[in-house]
Amino acid sequence: MDRRACYAPLTDWLDAIGRVALILVIASAAWLLSGIIAFAFGAVRARYPIDVADNGVARRVRTQLGLLQRIASVVVVILALGAILLTFPGVQALGASVLASAGLVSVIAGLAAQSTLSNLFAGVQLAFSDALRVDDVVVVENEWGRIEEMTLSYVVVRIWDERRLVLPSTYFTTTPFTNWTRASSDITGTVYVDLDWTVPLDGLRERFEAFLATRDDWDGRGSSVAVTDATGGGVQVRFVVTAADSGSLWNLRCAVREDIVRWAQSVAPVALPRTRVDMVSD
């Protein structure tokens, strides 16, 4: 009886165990490398907090770091899968046949993944062109919100009422949108109020200026009161206010509107809108 035949099953088991062990080593190395990458990017990201007043640079850096981290993680996974596949003897022969038909495969893959690739390049373009950053205040699809997350294929916008609007990256490269914090977070807003023709404008201006002086969310950059329209039975008064960011501006606009209503009700009731009817007898 041939001794080599007796040891053949044992040799097969040893080869299988060795291959499994090698695969585990490769997977562990990829997991460790991914952890090191995540730790390194996290350490750099921690140096750029976004919970400060002037966070334009921090938001840009965080956006770019997030995309770079995802790209590095994808590269590590692809290299690990390639190393694992190379542990199998038949993969090399398969690779030769794949390379022989690479032209046809690339054409088919390009047509099938056209939308995915366009989103991928759009995501990279958004991150490194500085057109959009994490925590930017934007108006898209008639919705006001903040950029919560940017990936290689889509962007998540957190709407003011806690909804999430998920848009492909190509949306922001092909569709006009409003970015309130592109250059800085400072912002100017308006409040329109309809009042009667008899409204005392000098008293209204004094009230408005005195009210702004008591507000911490007014940054003092500017304010004005102007009659922008006078048609029908009343006049339209525009109040201009400024604030350090969009959230403060929203609160300030609501407070100004409420104070003018209270002023008209208690101090100057003649300013309340009314409809006049002239009764003429025969």
Side-chain angles (χ1 to χ4, degrees):
M1 184 177 179
D2 191 358
R3 292 185 177 182
R4 288 177 297 180
C6 297
Y7 289 106
L10 181 60
T11 303
D12 295 339
W13 275 103
L14 290 177
D15 292 340
I17 293 174
R19 183 172 292 111
V20 170
L22 182 58
I23 292 174
L24 291 177
V25 170
I26 296 174
S28 301
W31 175 80
L32 178 61
L33 184 58
S34 299
I36 294 174
I37 292 174
F39 175 78
F41 277 97
V44 177
R45 192 181 294 112
R47 300 179 58 184
Y48 296 91
I50 59 176
D51 54 348
V52 294
D54 188 8
N55 59 358
V57 176
R59 288 186 284 114
R60 180 176 67 249
V61 172
R62 278 176 170 258
T63 301
Q64 296 174 354
L65 287 176
L67 289 178
L68 288 177
Q69 181 178 353
R70 290 185 175 89
I71 293 175
S73 299
V74 170
V75 171
V76 170
V77 172
I78 292 176
L79 292 178
L81 290 177
I84 291 174
L85 290 176
L86 288 177
T87 61
F88 297 92
V91 172
Q92 297 178 355
L94 179 62
S97 61
V98 170
L99 290 176
S101 58
L104 179 61
V105 172
S106 61
V107 173
I108 297 175
L111 293 176
Q114 183 177 4
S115 177
T116 302
L117 291 176
S118 61
N119 278 314
L120 174 65
F121 290 119
V124 175
Q125 177 184 348
L126 287 175
F128 291 95
S129 65
D130 203 24
L132 195 65
R133 298 164 297 191
V134 173
D135 205 44
D136 266 347
V137 178
V138 296
V139 178
V140 291
E141 297 294 313
N142 296 323
E143 297 281 4
W144 179 93
R146 290 180 178 272
I147 301 298
E148 183 178 53
E149 182 182 3
M150 294 179 61
T151 69
L152 293 176
S153 57
Y154 62 88
V155 177
V156 180
V157 182
R158 185 179 74 250
I159 308 302
W160 66 272
D161 57 0
E162 301 301 327
R163 289 178 295 139
R164 266 52 174 187
L165 183 62
V166 182
L167 297 168
S169 298
T170 52
Y171 176 91
F172 294 93
T173 58
T174 58
T175 307
F177 65 94
T178 303
N179 189 338
W180 287 7
T181 55
R182 172 66 178 82
S184 66
S185 59
D186 296 338
I187 191 169
T188 301
T190 57
V191 176
Y192 290 91
V193 180
D194 293 328
L195 299 171
D196 191 72
W197 283 78
T198 57
V199 56
L201 294 177
D202 292 337
L204 178 60
R205 287 189 174 91
E206 293 177 1
R207 173 73 179 210
F208 174 66
E209 297 296 339
F211 177 74
L212 284 184
T214 64
R215 297 290 303 186
D216 294 334
D217 43 15
W218 179 56
D219 61 4
R221 288 187 298 114
S223 64
S224 67
V225 179
V227 178
T228 57
D229 200 1
T231 58
V235 297
Q236 186 181 71
V237 182
R238 185 192 68 181
F239 302 88
V240 177
V241 293
T242 59
D245 54 69
S246 58
S248 300
L249 179 67
W250 172 260
N251 295 332
L252 181 59
R253 291 173 62 193
C254 294
V256 167
R257 191 179 295 110
E258 181 178 344
D259 185 73
I260 296 303
V261 171
R262 290 179 177 177
W263 174 82
Q265 291 174 345
S266 59
V267 179
V270 295
L272 295 174
R274 67 192 68 187
T275 301
R276 295 174 176 83
V277 177
D278 188 8
M279 304 296 295
V280 180
S281 60
D282 294 335

